[in-house]
Amino acid sequence: PPDFVKPDEMWIDVDLGQQVLAVRRGTSLEYVTLVSTGTYGHSTPRGLYQVRDKVVYANMASRPSVEGKDAYFVGNVPFIVHFWPRYALHGAFWHWGFGWVRSHGCINMALHDVRYIYENVTPVNFPGWKMVYDTKEDPGTLLRVRRGQDKIVDKRRWR
């Protein structure tokens, strides 16, 4: 884990080369699953992040300026966990290609797996609420996105 992670602190480690997400507590492993990250030309950004917000479901679309085969719209995407503007962990019900690159940069997960992540990372959503944002007093769970042992940049908002 990064040096500052406490022994009992939950954090997420995504390896783009292996297409694997691991939930860890300190150095211990708690949960592992396959994911699908950005295809070539739509790479998933590497770095150290913190969960910025969580949304139970929302529509996701390409920017209006995007045309042709790169344009997309998917309604009611479940369990969205943003870690960087326009990048998130989220459920993907439109493919089963987990373990292979498939996305426009987000980290796609099977619904069962992303629900586990959504329910266990901070910030905590209030019962009945659709969305929650992190704050300086309650920063989101740490997320490391890497490829092997490559050096990564710290992009956390609240340090």
Side-chain angles (χ1 to χ4, degrees), residues 125-130:
N125 223 355
F126 295 109
W129 288 36
K130 180 182 173 186

Side-chain angles (χ1 to χ4, degrees), residues 4 6 12 17 20 23 28 30 33 42 45 47 58 61 80 87 90-91 94-95 100 104 120 138 144 146 152 156 158:
F4 55 84
K6 299 176 184 112
I12 298 173
V20 170
V23 176
S28 300
E30 290 194 355
T33 189
H42 298 284
I80 301 166
Y87 292 95
H90 62 74
W94 53 90
H95 76 79
W100 301 92
H104 280 86
N120 286 283
D138 185 20
R144 177 173 70 182
R146 63 186 173 86
I152 56 173
R156 294 173 295 151
W158 318 114

Side-chain angles (χ1 to χ4, degrees), residues 14 21 35-37 44 83 88-90 103 105-109 145:
V14 177
L21 176 145
V35 296
S36 291
T37 62
T44 302
F83 61 91
L89 303 158
H90 62 74
S103 81
C106 285
I107 299 170
N108 290 187
M109 300 177 69
V145 181

Side-chain angles (χ1 to χ4, degrees), residues 11-27:
W11 62 286
I12 298 173
D13 189 26
V14 177
D15 188 324
L16 300 174
Q18 298 293 317
Q19 293 295 294
V20 170
L21 176 145
V23 176
R24 298 181 170 273
R25 190 162 305 275
T27 58

Side-chain angles (χ1 to χ4, degrees), residues 74-138:
V74 182
N76 296 324
V77 176
F79 303 114
I80 301 166
V81 179
H82 283 105
F83 61 91
W84 195 246
R86 297 191 59 84
Y87 292 95
L89 303 158
H90 62 74
F93 52 79
W94 53 90
H95 76 79
W96 292 100
F98 306 109
W100 301 92
V101 294
R102 297 265 323 222
S103 81
H104 280 86
C106 285
I107 299 170
N108 290 187
M109 300 177 69
L111 300 182
H112 173 79
D113 295 325
V114 76
R115 183 175 187 158
Y116 174 85
I117 299 299
Y118 186 92
E119 290 175 349
N120 286 283
V121 299
T122 57
V124 176
N125 223 355
F126 295 109
W129 288 36
K130 180 182 173 186
M131 181 176 214
V132 64
Y133 291 96
D134 72 329
T135 64
K136 194 170 190 173
E137 294 75 29
D138 185 20

